[in-house]
Amino acid sequence: MTPDSLMPKNFNISSIKASCSSCGLRELCLPVGLDEQEIKALDHLLNQRHRIRRGEHLHRAGLDFHSLYAVRSGFFKTYVLQEDGREQVTGFHMTGEVLGLDAISTDMHTCNAVALEDSEVCEIPFVKLEEIGRTIPSLMHHLHKIMSREIVHDRGMLLLGGMKAGERLATFLLNLSYRFAKRGYSPLDFNLRMTREEIGSYLGLKLETVSRALSRLQEDGLIDVNSKHIRLTDIGRLRRQTGNSFCE
Amino acid sequence: MTPDSLMPKNFNISSIKASCSSCGLRELCLPVGLDEQEIKALDHLLNQRHRIRRGEHLHRAGLDFHSLYAVRSGFFKTYVLQEDGREQVTGFHMTGEVLGLDAISTDMHTCNAVALEDSEVCEIPFVKLEEIGRTIPSLMHHLHKIMSREIVHDRGMLLLGGMKAGERLATFLLNLSYRFAKRGYSPLDFNLRMTREEIGSYLGLKLETVSRALSRLQEDGLIDVNSKHIRLTDIGRLRRQTGNSFCE
DNA sequence: GATCTATTTTGATTTAAATCAAAACAGAGT
DNA sequence: ACTCTGTTTTGATTTAAATCAAAATAGATC
């Protein structure tokens, strides 16, 4: 794994196209040259859409696995409940990303997914996906890339282990920034959908530490914090702040 | 994700078969009912074996990706080098496990893999695997399970974020124990192939902290440490020690 | 707009782990 | 068996983050 597992070291903001703008199909099929019939098969595969209101769950740990979900719009959090009742956040997921990949291994969802804002997803029955993938190799290959990317990202989280709170936060913000940019949103100016506590859980910090680290980054002039609204005012120094940058 | 992402909460040692005993083919194909011809195609796919001596690299970050590697015997460490030259360990891999899944996303290896003891791997050209997978759906599905399992495992590492040093070590040892058991080795008595520093890197701790945590677990009668040799003398309390158990 | 609740910030203190340092030990090679 | 080197253990000290506590702020609801 290169150190850019969480973010390419020097992604060029302006060069990032809003490639997989809003649709699960796009995310799954963009790089593919398809004929009429294949497009039809895919349309059939991807025609189940669902609205998930803020606070509602998309799936819960322990439930049978049938479908992947491509986020068409909105924002999700995945988490597990530990024995002691504490909630451990395992990821944040935005437009164009795919949820449910972890469930393939056991045919059971291993985490809970809840919408942090009103969202729309595209349900992709996995059995059908594998079927169609047999006749459209590039689709199958693309699924493999998506799964692999997930592995790279999750593994990149290990790098946080060696970082201090401020570095973790910087890394987290840069990763969000990168992902917003990929989707055509501003990479320098965005709203956090999650609480400090959720960020802390994800990064292995307490919420007070998250708050302090953000305040510190602001003091140092790297970012501008207004509760949930974040502006990256010096992205260069923010990168250097991470020590070892890395993103998606 | 359930809390057992790193280890099933109550795996029954005696009931674990040495299922995928030693071969990449087994790991990739066990649950599959195959006919003559399919077996042949697979044999062809899996006939490239390599010996990797202790200290030698299987692949390095940045190199072009062509093949997955199934570990037939031995023990590997994967790691990335950070800008400051520090080494971040990203995983340990033993017989029956598959290396290189992270490289699919970019067609480039994202980490280095080095043998921690003399090892043997089975090279699996990925293009061929996808080809053959098209005609053997269960093989393709099994690949998906393997990748998904990797995601679950990597994500389970996030749970370490909320743990103290002793809990992390206990979790780590139980995960190793579980994986040894699956392969038919003793789950209560094994040798660590890696140094304290490598364990620390993986768990987000310094080597001194690892050493102290092990000593502490020994004092408390949960394990028996003799440099690299570990005996789990009270696996029940070791599990409770993790607070929230979880494994593979 | 006023009230209530959840979230966030900040401060004081404690605690766990990192750091610094040195001794003990193990394994490889001679 | 002896030496050399890398690894591990243990101790003393410092530092970063957790914890405890309270005030400030933001959002939601009436």
Side-chain angles (χ1 to χ4, degrees):
Chain A
M1 180 170 47
T2 58
D4 55 33
S5 49
L6 287 190
M7 182 176 73
K9 203 176 318 181
N10 286 305
F11 72 93
N12 184 327
I13 290 160
S14 59
S15 79
I16 292 171
K17 287 191 351 190
S19 53
C20 42
S21 54
S22 71
C23 171
L25 192 145
R26 284 272 169 70
E27 164 68 6
L28 274 168
C29 315
L30 241 208
V32 187
L34 299 179
D35 66 29
E36 283 285 310
Q37 203 181 3
E38 291 168 340
I39 295 273
K40 242 180 205 160
L42 277 171
D43 266 355
H44 184 63
L45 177 68
L46 297 164
N47 69 356
Q48 278 185 277
R49 297 196 182 160
H50 303 277
R51 297 186 163 284
I52 313 286
R53 244 186 296 270
R54 176 192 156 107
E56 286 179 352
H57 278 75
L58 179 58
H59 59 70
R60 287 180 189 273
L63 291 186
D64 284 348
F65 166 68
H66 298 295
S67 301
L68 300 177
Y69 298 95
V71 181
R72 282 179 49 81
S73 66
F75 202 90
F76 287 85
K77 160 183 90 169
T78 47
Y79 67 97
V80 300
L81 288 175
Q82 315 203 195
E83 271 137 43
D84 51 25
R86 284 202 315 101
E87 166 181 317
Q88 169 68 52
V89 174
T90 55
F92 300 108
H93 312 274
M94 56 178 76
T95 303
E97 296 177 344
V98 176
L99 286 162
L101 296 171
D102 52 280
I104 297 167
S105 72
T106 55
D107 285 320
M108 198 189 268
H109 285 284
T110 62
C111 63
N112 307 281
V114 64
L116 295 186
E117 61 184 39
D118 290 354
S119 303
E120 213 181 345
V121 301
C122 189
E123 179 173 354
I124 307 169
F126 190 64
V127 171
K128 279 195 198 171
L129 175 58
E130 284 189 326
E131 265 171 38
I132 298 174
R134 246 171 276 150
T135 65
I136 312 179
S138 57
L139 172 65
M140 189 89 297
H141 185 64
H142 197 57
L143 171 67
H144 298 156
K145 290 211 170 197
I146 288 173
M147 294 189 80
S148 177
R149 203 185 306 152
E150 196 71 28
I151 290 169
V152 173
H153 178 272
D154 289 352
R155 217 165 266 179
M157 291 298 293
L158 282 174
L159 300 196
L160 295 179
M163 292 184 183
K164 301 203 186 308
E167 300 173 332
R168 293 188 196 201
L169 256 298
T171 303
F172 176 72
L173 293 175
L174 285 169
N175 177 241
L176 280 183
S177 164
Y178 169 69
R179 287 153 76 192
F180 282 129
K182 272 212 311 189
R183 284 152 188 84
Y185 304 117
S186 170
L188 299 179
D189 197 296
F190 49 85
N191 283 298
L192 299 175
R193 270 73 171 187
M194 70 295 284
T195 66
R196 305 287 192 260
E197 188 166 21
E198 288 165 335
I199 296 172
S201 173
Y202 186 57
L203 298 179
L205 301 169
K206 293 294 167 189
L207 72 99
E208 297 95 324
T209 308
V210 171
S211 179
R212 274 185 252 269
L214 287 174
S215 300
R216 186 67 207 283
L217 289 173
Q218 181 165 40
E219 271 175 46
D220 296 350
L222 307 192
I223 66 175
D224 214 64
V225 187
N226 268 89
S227 69
K228 290 251 195 308
H229 182 254
I230 304 282
R231 260 182 349 109
L232 309 187
T233 52
D234 190 342
I235 200 168
R237 276 209 293 149
L238 198 59
R239 283 219 191 82
R240 259 166 280 136
Q241 167 78 22
T242 65
N244 39 98
S245 63
F246 61 106
C247 294
E248 182 164 75
Chain B
M1 180 171 46
T2 59
D4 57 31
S5 49
L6 287 190
M7 181 175 77
K9 204 175 317 179
N10 286 306
F11 71 93
N12 185 329
I13 290 162
S14 59
S15 78
I16 292 171
K17 287 193 348 187
S19 53
C20 42
S21 55
S22 70
C23 171
L25 192 146
R26 284 271 170 70
E27 164 69 6
L28 274 167
C29 315
L30 242 208
V32 186
L34 299 179
D35 66 28
E36 284 285 309
Q37 204 181 2
E38 291 169 340
I39 295 272
K40 243 182 205 159
L42 277 171
D43 266 355
H44 184 62
L45 176 68
L46 297 164
N47 69 354
Q48 278 184 276
R49 298 197 182 159
H50 302 277
R51 295 185 165 284
I52 313 287
R53 245 186 296 268
R54 177 193 156 107
E56 287 180 352
H57 277 75
L58 181 58
H59 58 70
R60 286 179 190 273
L63 292 185
D64 284 349
F65 166 68
H66 298 295
S67 300
L68 300 177
Y69 298 96
V71 181
R72 282 179 48 80
S73 66
F75 202 90
F76 287 85
K77 160 183 90 171
T78 47
Y79 67 97
V80 300
L81 288 176
Q82 314 202 199
E83 271 138 43
D84 52 24
R86 284 202 317 100
E87 167 182 317
Q88 169 68 52
V89 174
T90 55
F92 300 108
H93 313 275
M94 57 178 78
T95 303
E97 296 177 344
V98 177
L99 286 163
L101 297 171
D102 52 281
I104 298 167
S105 72
T106 56
D107 284 319
M108 200 190 267
H109 285 283
T110 63
C111 64
N112 307 282
V114 64
L116 295 185
E117 63 183 37
D118 291 353
S119 303
E120 214 181 343
V121 300
C122 189
E123 180 174 352
I124 307 170
F126 190 64
V127 171
K128 279 195 200 171
L129 175 57
E130 285 190 324
E131 265 172 38
I132 298 175
R134 245 170 277 150
T135 65
I136 312 178
S138 57
L139 173 65
M140 189 89 299
H141 185 64
H142 196 58
L143 171 67
H144 298 155
K145 290 210 168 195
I146 288 173
M147 294 189 79
S148 176
R149 204 185 308 152
E150 196 70 30
I151 290 170
V152 173
H153 179 272
D154 289 352
R155 217 165 267 178
M157 291 299 293
L158 283 175
L159 301 196
L160 294 179
M163 292 184 183
K164 301 205 186 306
E167 299 172 331
R168 292 187 197 202
L169 255 298
T171 303
F172 176 71
L173 293 175
L174 285 169
N175 177 240
L176 280 183
S177 164
Y178 168 68
R179 287 154 77 194
F180 282 130
K182 271 212 311 190
R183 283 152 188 84
Y185 303 116
S186 169
L188 298 179
D189 198 297
F190 49 84
N191 283 297
L192 299 175
R193 270 73 171 188
M194 71 295 284
T195 66
R196 304 287 192 261
E197 187 166 21
E198 289 165 335
I199 296 172
S201 174
Y202 186 57
L203 298 179
L205 301 169
K206 293 295 167 188
L207 71 99
E208 297 95 326
T209 307
V210 172
S211 178
R212 274 185 252 268
L214 287 174
S215 300
R216 187 68 208 283
L217 289 173
Q218 181 165 39
E219 271 175 48
D220 295 350
L222 307 191
I223 65 175
D224 214 64
V225 187
N226 268 91
S227 68
K228 291 253 197 304
H229 182 255
I230 304 282
R231 260 184 347 111
L232 310 186
T233 52
D234 191 341
I235 201 169
R237 276 210 292 150
L238 199 59
R239 282 220 191 82
R240 260 167 277 136
Q241 167 77 25
T242 64
N244 38 99
S245 63
F246 61 105
C247 294
E248 182 163 79

